[in-house]
Amino acid sequence: MTRPSGKPLPSVPPGPGDDEQASRHLERWNEANGLDGDVGSMLEGPTAGEATPGLDSEALLKALFGNSPFLTELAFAEPDVITSFLQRGPDRTFEAIIAAQVSDRRRPVLMAHLRKLKRRAALLTALADISGVWSLGEVTAALTRLADLAAGAALDLALRELA
């Protein structure tokens, strides 16, 4: 089955390797985000479900929480990435992530911005990959764009410091 865009519907995310851990973190996630046990309520709004049709958001979060402590940490640090992914889809979310600019070009501020950019993009690409919404080529393209952006910003900083 395919979407109107011609892309296939997302695959079913893998099951959690640790069911107890996945359930515990899902409960914590629901509490932290005021969801009353219903992850699907994150999809409320005029475009609910249009961005990621057929995706089981609870299964996706359980896959994250039950298989990867790193992605679990990112999910709690950057919950708006998950919300945006579910409501707006990976393409629009990725564009918003890389479009975020920092006007202060001092080293500590720029480095903090790049670390946040990396965290947000890592979580998004993992969500898009695990859910099957993005192909391997799309994941690789997104990571390449992120690397280009980060390397360019670091090089600009280095050249400014040398001047």
Side-chain angles (χ1 to χ4, degrees):
M1 186 178 265
T2 61
R3 294 184 206 140
S5 66
K7 288 185 176 182
L9 288 173
S11 61
V12 175
D18 185 334
D19 285 320
E20 184 179 316
Q21 178 175 299
S23 295
R24 187 173 59 252
H25 286 308
L26 185 62
E27 183 177 321
R28 191 174 133 222
W29 171 266
N30 288 337
E31 288 173 12
N33 292 285
L35 298 176
D36 296 326
D38 181 18
V39 176
S41 65
M42 293 177 74
L43 297 173
E44 294 174 353
T47 59
E50 289 178 20
T52 51
L55 180 65
D56 183 342
S57 53
E58 184 170 321
L60 177 59
L61 289 180
K62 281 186 173 182
L64 244 59
F65 299 152
N67 292 317
S68 175
F70 174 69
L71 293 175
T72 298
E73 183 179 314
L74 291 183
F76 282 96
E78 303 289 346
D80 59 311
V81 172
I82 293 176
T83 303
S84 182
F85 169 78
L86 293 173
Q87 292 178 348
R88 301 172 63 209
D91 298 323
R92 289 176 59 198
T93 301
F94 184 74
E95 292 304 323
I97 288 171
I98 64 169
Q101 298 294 321
V102 60
S103 59
D104 189 334
R105 294 307 214 184
R106 291 175 295 159
R107 176 180 282 272
V109 175
L110 182 61
M111 296 282 96
H113 173 72
L114 291 175
R115 284 189 297 275
K116 182 174 184 165
L117 181 71
K118 179 184 142 201
R119 271 194 321 267
R120 294 172 65 80
L123 178 57
L124 174 66
T125 55
L127 290 166
D129 185 31
I130 292 168
S131 67
V133 175
W134 272 356
S135 67
L136 178 60
E138 290 168 309
V139 169
T140 303
L143 292 173
T144 300
R145 283 186 65 196
L146 172 68
D148 286 346
L149 182 109
L155 181 60
D156 288 347
L157 173 65
L159 291 174
R160 276 196 314 277
E161 288 178 347
L162 287 173

